[in-house]
């Protein structure tokens, strides 16, 4: 889902890049596109990451197990629960004590131990709303674990799973507003985008934008004809 949203951002930026006239603005838009493309690559690599861990016993006859960090999951909600769905083939075949959660009021860790000689970990931090740890539970189903996170405030609808996802979506919504962009002059839309990039960018981005704005203003002043010389 996150990759698809980043790809949509890149497409919007490419449209603005085609409309931009000044090289400095084109460079800034190209830089932002490259940053988003890097974010997509990092997400893909994170999904494939596997970390080797030491065996739980010193016996040389025991094979090493590997911990696999899970990133993909589905979720749904009812009035009382946030339901997290984690797909793991044959997870129903292992003992219940090998499937457990570590919970706080704003985070969850699902641990699945020794499933086909591998350990699995799903970690979700900074939940959008607090949960009631005492009322949470989980179930093993065929090829799936379902975690029931009890809402501290029943009947409150969650728009996102985590604070980070909501913040990211809000930033994208503020950065790209198609209706407004269609009504505005293309150059005005680019200036609004540059302001948003300045507000949310790092120090290097801010320096580049400040320099571009200064050069733009300086060019406008030097383009004004000197009427005294003409007379």
């Amino acid at each position: 889902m996150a990759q698809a949203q980043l790809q949509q951002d890149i497409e919007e930026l490419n449209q603005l890049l085609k409309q931009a006239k000044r090289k400095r603005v084109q460079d800034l838009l190209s830089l932002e596109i490259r940053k988003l493309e890097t974010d997509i690559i990092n997400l893909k690599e994170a999904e494939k990451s596997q970390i080797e861990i030491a065996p739980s016993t010193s016996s040389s006859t025991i094979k090493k197990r590997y911990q696999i960090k899970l990133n993909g999951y589905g979720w749904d909600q009812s009035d009382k629960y946030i339901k997290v769905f984690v797909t793991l083939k044959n997870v129903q075949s292992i003992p219940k004590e090998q499937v457990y959660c570590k919970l706080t009021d704003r985070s969850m860790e699902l641990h699945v131990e020794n499933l086909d000689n591998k350990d699995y970990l799903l970690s979700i931090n900074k939940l959008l709303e607090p949960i009631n740890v005492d009322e949470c539970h989980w179930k093993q189903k065929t090829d799936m674990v379902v975690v029931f996170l009890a809402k501290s405030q029943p009947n409150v609808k969650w728009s996102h799973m985590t604070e980070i996802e909501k913040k990211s979506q809000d930033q994208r919504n503020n950065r790209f507003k198609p209706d407004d962009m269609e009504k505005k002059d293309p150059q005005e839309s680019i200036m609004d985008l540059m302001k948003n990039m300045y507000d949310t960018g790092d120090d290097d981005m801010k320096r580049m934008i400040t320099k571009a704005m200064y050069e733009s203003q300086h060019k406008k002043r030097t383009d004004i004809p000197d009427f005294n010389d003409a007379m």
Side-chain angles (χ1 to χ4, degrees):
M1 187 67 174
Q3 293 182 27
Q5 291 173 340
L6 288 173
Q7 188 60 47
Q8 290 175 1
D9 293 350
I10 290 173
E11 292 174 0
E12 292 280 359
L13 283 169
N14 278 320
Q15 292 178 6
L16 290 173
L17 180 59
K18 293 177 181 178
Q19 297 172 348
K21 298 178 180 179
R22 292 183 52 77
K23 186 178 185 304
R24 178 67 62 178
V25 174
Q26 293 171 349
D27 290 343
L28 289 170
L29 292 172
S30 297
L31 178 61
E32 183 69 8
I33 291 171
R34 288 195 296 272
K35 287 176 66 177
L36 293 178
E37 289 174 342
T38 300
D39 289 343
I40 292 177
I41 293 173
N42 291 337
L43 282 174
K44 291 180 178 179
E45 291 179 349
E47 291 176 355
K48 299 178 181 178
S49 64
Q50 295 183 353
I51 301 176
E52 181 179 355
I53 62 172
S56 58
T57 175
S58 59
S59 173
S60 59
T61 60
I62 303 293
K63 292 183 179 180
K64 287 184 178 181
R65 294 212 306 267
Y66 294 86
Q67 184 185 78
I68 299 176
K69 288 189 175 181
L70 300 171
N71 294 295
Y73 62 89
W75 70 282
D76 197 359
Q77 62 184 309
S78 62
D79 291 341
K80 187 175 180 179
Y81 291 103
I82 295 293
K83 292 173 281 188
V84 182
F85 305 94
V86 183
T87 301
L88 284 171
K89 186 174 178 59
N90 296 326
V91 70
Q92 75 280 0
S93 65
I94 63 176
K96 290 184 177 180
E97 58 268 21
Q98 292 174 209
V99 179
Y100 60 92
C101 285
K102 294 181 180 180
L103 304 169
T104 72
D105 63 341
R106 283 297 181 102
S107 70
M108 67 155 279
E109 285 186 357
L110 170 64
H111 294 260
V112 178
E113 295 184 341
N114 200 14
L115 173 59
D116 294 331
N117 203 42
K118 297 181 181 68
D119 294 340
Y120 294 86
L121 169 65
L122 172 66
S123 180
I124 305 177
N125 297 310
K126 295 186 178 180
L127 296 171
L128 184 66
E129 301 287 347
I131 59 174
N132 187 332
V133 174
D134 293 336
E135 295 185 10
C136 296
H137 60 280
W138 49 91
K139 294 181 180 180
Q140 290 168 249
K141 297 180 177 292
T142 303
D143 297 334
M144 180 180 292
V145 178
V146 183
V147 182
F148 295 81
L149 302 177
K151 296 179 179 179
S152 288
Q153 296 178 298
N155 301 315
V156 173
K157 183 176 178 62
W158 291 25
S159 60
H160 297 77
M161 189 67 180
T162 66
E163 291 180 356
I164 295 173
E165 290 174 355
K166 185 177 187 304
K167 182 179 179 181
S168 177
Q169 183 65 53
D170 289 344
Q171 288 179 345
R172 281 192 289 270
N173 290 341
N174 290 334
R175 183 182 298 176
F176 305 112
K177 296 181 178 179
D179 292 341
D180 292 341
M181 290 174 63
E182 289 177 1
K183 296 176 183 177
K184 291 181 179 179
D185 178 81
Q187 293 301 313
E188 183 180 355
S189 298
I190 293 172
M191 295 304 294
D192 289 344
L193 175 60
M194 290 177 64
K195 181 179 183 303
N196 185 272
M197 291 166 61
Y198 182 90
D199 292 338
T200 59
D202 55 20
D203 291 341
D204 290 339
M205 176 66 73
K206 289 180 179 179
R207 280 194 293 269
M208 289 185 65
I209 292 175
T210 300
K211 183 178 180 181
M213 296 296 291
Y214 172 80
E215 291 178 352
S216 176
Q217 293 299 322
H218 181 71
K219 185 177 186 301
K220 288 180 180 179
R221 288 196 297 268
T222 56
D223 286 345
I224 298 175
D226 190 337
F227 292 105
N228 290 327
D229 291 344
M231 295 176 63

